[in-house]
Amino acid sequence: MTSSDQPAQNPRPRRNRLDLEPDTVERDLVKLVLTVVELLRQLMERQALRRFDLGDLSEDQEERIGLTLMLLEERMAELRDRYGLRPEDLNLDLGPLGPLLPRDGG
């Protein structure tokens, strides 16, 4: 039997199990949680902007919402930095549906 008669061998053996490393699992979990939090933050921000535009918030409410959104964004940046993530790392590709988060951030 010549080498051309033999079935081609896969250069990378198939693995029947996952390689789970504690550091990778923690980072991946943080990435997933931060992705969900970022999605909710963006939704809250859009809702707040609509309410600002409608004028149905008091000045105190506007100030509290603005401060809360700023603090949340700061904490998100701190956690991304701690785990070596960039904002674009939190944007899941949903295949034919496109990205989870708007590419322009808003």
Side-chain angles (χ1 to χ4, degrees):
M1 187 185 260
T2 66
S3 62
S4 61
D5 294 336
Q6 294 178 357
Q9 292 191 9
N10 189 353
R12 290 176 30 188
R14 276 183 102 176
R15 296 182 180 186
N16 293 327
R17 62 185 180 155
L18 294 172
D19 285 337
L20 299 176
E21 297 291 329
D23 293 338
T24 303
V25 170
E26 181 180 7
R27 184 176 186 271
D28 291 344
L29 179 59
V30 167
K31 182 178 175 180
L32 178 61
V33 170
L34 289 179
T35 298
V36 172
V37 171
E38 178 61 15
L39 176 63
L40 293 173
R41 187 194 67 76
Q42 287 186 19
L43 292 172
M44 289 173 19
E45 189 174 80
R46 285 188 205 130
Q47 181 64 26
L49 288 174
R50 280 189 209 113
R51 292 185 69 192
F52 290 155
D53 290 343
L54 291 174
D56 67 348
L57 295 173
S58 70
E59 191 174 310
D60 184 53
Q61 289 173 317
E62 288 180 7
E63 190 173 318
R64 279 186 305 163
I65 290 171
L67 181 60
T68 300
L69 290 172
M70 284 181 5
L71 289 173
L72 180 56
E73 192 168 349
E74 286 176 14
R75 298 296 185 264
M76 291 284 295
E78 290 171 10
L79 288 169
R80 282 192 316 265
D81 290 346
R82 182 182 302 166
Y83 287 92
L85 297 167
R86 300 166 300 164
E88 55 269 19
D89 292 333
L90 305 182
N91 200 356
L92 300 177
D93 180 5
L94 301 176
L97 297 176
L100 177 65
L101 303 171
R103 294 210 187 270
D104 62 358

